[in-house]
Amino acid sequence: MVAVVGNIVHNSHIVFDGYISPSNNIKFSDIPTGIDGILAIPTAGLFQILAFVGFIELAWLPASQYDGDYGVGWFGNKILDPDERARKLNVELNNGRLAMIGILGNMVGEVVTGQTMYEQYMSGNIIPFNFSPFDG
């Protein structure tokens, strides 16, 4: 879900001021929109992102805890009913899976059409291959 929101924000040309890499003289505004933006990030920056995500996975939210219950509760409230807790954990897992499918579909659509998500919406090209179920 964060990936989709980040994609929408970046495609709207909302960027941080300053430099993403002062040593390479690369500003945040120099990063292109869409999937090509990952190639503009220096290798050291990509390594920092992967190291941070790895730290979160290993130290804070360990992947060995398969039930997904990290003791935080639901908006700070502990869910006491085990059936309700299991249902809400399953809903959260399914929402995460759907968000991953959504960003993957967005990236595939961008590669197929050559347009970012924003450009696709603005040009009316939200259905690739010029297919419309309403055409006769």
Side-chain angles (χ1 to χ4, degrees), residues 31-136:
I31 304 294
T33 59
I35 203 164
D36 292 333
I38 195 77
L39 301 174
I41 299 174
T43 306
L46 292 175
F47 178 74
Q48 290 173 0
I49 293 169
L50 289 175
F52 178 70
V53 170
F55 172 74
I56 289 174
E57 285 287 329
L58 294 174
W60 188 32
L61 301 172
S64 60
Q65 191 165 346
Y66 298 116
D67 64 356
D69 188 3
Y70 296 101
V72 178
W74 187 69
F75 291 107
N77 298 325
K78 190 78 172 162
I79 303 169
L80 300 176
D81 183 21
D83 291 333
E84 182 182 0
R85 181 173 47 233
R87 187 186 72 75
K88 288 189 178 186
L89 288 172
N90 282 330
V91 166
E92 184 64 26
L93 283 172
N94 289 334
N95 285 342
R97 291 174 182 143
L98 186 61
M100 287 186 272
I101 290 171
I103 194 65
L104 181 65
N106 181 29
M107 291 187 291
V108 168
E110 183 177 320
V111 170
V112 168
T113 63
Q115 297 176 319
T116 64
M117 181 173 62
Y118 176 77
E119 292 168 342
Q120 290 177 38
Y121 289 144
M122 290 292 101
S123 68
N125 187 19
I126 58 174
I127 301 176
F129 310 117
N130 293 326
F131 169 76
S132 176
F134 304 110
D135 290 341

